[in-house]
């Protein structure tokens, strides 16, 4: 018996389950986000064994919700799945689920131009399977209203702490099981680092490797702008092979900045590279481009015009092509 169709309520998140059909294909079904859907033995819960993506949908002038850089997110999800050897749903199945979720949200809400949704795609290794049984990953998309980032937040900037992640920069190559470049569900360490920063008078974190390289924020990529003596703008980001996630926002911004004639650099970077820069930013899909105003308690310049320029590059949402850090 098929479950009763569920209609989301206005203002509430929309949950779309990717259910395995008889032929193994994943079919989207809108379900009630207020009731349980996972087994307590799901390895996503018991071991943090799974992966996720957080993307953004924004309503255009006509109030139609459009996904930002969905292809880049699904590409990264496939790379994470390969790193975890996790049989994740196909890109086509995710696209169908997201489309279904956007339709359901639109049916339940008066969507206005500029409205934003955070779109979180999750896949876990599923419940412990009996020996010999096929694994049954659990997969779903959750679309939740996301508040607009206030102009004030983009203007003021973040105080960050540089925190040692405890791994040297060769660790990703030496120990691929650390999964440093995959967006796994094991974010407890990242959240602990954010709590540590907040308890010590800061807003956010930039991780460093044990041998002193700049890495990334717990939920963001680091960008630096420097202007050369000849006036050329140089946009820099840490080297991905040092153990960071391939940022989709970084890739879009680099593609647009490169097209606008900026020089692009992919590290390796060290904390000294933050000094004397025109500005430093943390970038990610939902919060966008946020300037850093202090590093370890030392104030650094905040250039609001540059923040808006980088944010405009991100909003233009071009094809990131090959502009992923370190590729
Ligand atoms: N680095 C980490 C560890 C992240 O968790 C994220 C996003 O959540 C990013 C970087 C930025 O990635 P994106 O720009 O694709 O959102």
């Amino acid at each position: 018996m098929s479950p009763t169709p569920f209609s989301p309520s206005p203002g509430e998140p929309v949950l779309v389950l990717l259910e395995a059909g008889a032929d193994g294909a994943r079919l989207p079904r809108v379900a009630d986000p207020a009731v349980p859907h996972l087994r307590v033995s799901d390895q996503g819960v018991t071991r943090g064994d799974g992966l996720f993506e957080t993307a953004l949908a924004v309503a255009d002038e006509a109030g139609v919700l459009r996904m930002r850089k969905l292809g880049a997110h699904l590409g990264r999800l496939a790379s994470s799945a390969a790193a975890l050897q996790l049989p994740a749903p196909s890109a086509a199945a995710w696209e169908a689920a997201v489309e279904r979720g956007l339709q359901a949200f639109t049916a339940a809400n008066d969507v206005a131009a500029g409205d934003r949704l955070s779109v979180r795609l999750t896949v876990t290794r599923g419940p412990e399977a009996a020996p010999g049984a096929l694994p049954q990953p659990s997969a779903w998309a959750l679309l939740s209203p996301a508040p607009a980032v206030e102009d004030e937040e983009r203007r003021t900037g973040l105080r960050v702490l540089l925190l040692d992640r405890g791994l040297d920069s060769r660790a990703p190559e030496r120990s691929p099981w650390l999964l440093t470049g995959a967006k796994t569900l094991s974010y407890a360490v990242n959240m602990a680092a954010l709590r540590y920063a907040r308890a010590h008078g800061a807003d956010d974190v930039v991780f460093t490797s044990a041998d002193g390289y700049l890495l990334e924020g717990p939920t963001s990529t680091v960008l630096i702008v420097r202007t050369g003596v000849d006036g050329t703008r140089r946009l820099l980001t840490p080297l991905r092979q040092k153990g960071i996630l391939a940022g989709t926002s970084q890739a879009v911004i680099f593609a647009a900045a490169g097209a606008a004639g900026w020089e692009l650099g992919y590290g390796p970077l060290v904390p000294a590279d933050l000094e004397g820069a025109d500005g430093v930013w943390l970038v990610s899909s939902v919060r966008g481009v946020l300037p850093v105003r202090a590093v370890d308690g030392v104030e650094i310049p905040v250039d609001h015009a540059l923040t808006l320029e980088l944010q405009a590059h991100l909003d233009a949402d071009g094809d990131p092509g090959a502009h992923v850090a370190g590729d």
Side-chain angles (χ1 to χ4, degrees):
M1 195 178 76
S2 51
T4 327
F6 178 78
S7 301
S9 307
E12 293 300 318
V14 171
L15 171 65
V16 184
L17 303 176
L18 281 82
E19 292 182 326
D23 57 355
R26 294 278 178 161
L27 299 172
R29 177 170 73 84
V30 175
D32 185 352
V35 303
H37 296 281
L38 279 188
R39 289 175 184 245
V40 291
S41 63
D42 194 295
Q43 294 167 89
V45 177
T46 57
R47 297 194 164 133
D49 192 353
L51 55 92
F52 74 105
E53 279 296 321
T54 307
L56 181 68
V58 182
D60 66 13
E61 287 304 314
V64 177
L65 283 161
R66 302 208 179 272
M67 287 302 299
R68 293 266 170 95
K69 52 185 168 55
L70 183 59
H73 284 285
L74 293 180
R76 187 169 64 188
L77 191 147
S79 312
S80 298
L84 271 78
Q85 297 177 306
L86 185 61
S90 65
W94 286 115
E95 279 165 9
V98 168
E99 193 50 44
R100 190 72 201 82
L102 294 176
Q103 280 167 4
F105 188 87
T106 306
N109 293 274
D110 289 328
V111 180
D115 282 358
R116 293 155 37 97
L117 287 183
S118 115
V119 177
R120 197 177 162 104
L121 313 179
T122 308
V123 53
T124 75
R125 203 170 295 279
E128 295 278 358
L134 281 181
Q136 278 300 341
S138 311
W140 66 94
L142 186 67
L143 295 77
S144 315
V149 177
E150 297 299 329
D151 185 55
E152 197 51 32
E153 204 180 340
R154 287 216 203 287
R155 207 175 274 281
T156 313
L158 304 165
R159 295 159 301 175
V160 304
L161 292 188
L162 297 180
L163 296 184
D164 180 357
R165 191 149 70 176
L167 298 173
D168 70 73
S169 63
R170 303 281 308 280
E173 190 189 332
R174 204 175 51 235
S175 311
W177 50 87
L178 294 174
L179 299 170
T180 47
K183 203 164 163 64
T184 75
L185 288 174
S186 312
Y187 261 48
V189 167
N190 299 30
M191 297 301 109
L194 283 176
R195 282 194 300 276
Y196 181 92
R198 285 167 194 155
H200 291 81
D203 310 297
D204 216 314
V205 169
V206 171
F207 285 125
T208 55
S209 63
D211 49 350
Y213 290 99
L214 286 179
L215 297 176
E216 62 188 340
T219 61
S220 60
T221 309
V222 177
L223 300 187
I224 300 177
V225 172
R226 303 184 82 94
T227 308
V229 274
D230 60 353
T232 314
R233 288 252 169 88
R234 211 167 145 66
L235 180 59
L236 306 165
T237 197
L239 184 66
R240 187 171 129 211
Q241 280 76 2
K242 298 282 181 201
I244 63 175
L245 199 68
T248 62
S249 310
Q250 169 270 323
V252 167
I253 294 171
F254 266 53
W262 296 29
E263 279 182 22
L264 306 175
Y266 300 93
L269 299 173
V270 293
D273 290 309
L274 302 172
E275 293 161 21
D278 299 354
V280 177
W281 292 265
L282 297 185
V283 302
S284 58
S285 298
V286 177
R287 289 199 303 168
V289 178
L290 290 175
V292 173
R293 74 166 151 114
V295 178
D296 286 346
V298 178
E299 300 280 326
I300 62 168
V302 171
D303 184 326
H304 189 55
L306 266 177
T307 302
L308 294 183
E309 206 171 330
L310 294 171
Q311 182 66 45
H313 285 331
L314 182 58
D315 291 338
D317 193 22
D319 177 4
H323 290 286
V324 171
D327 267 357

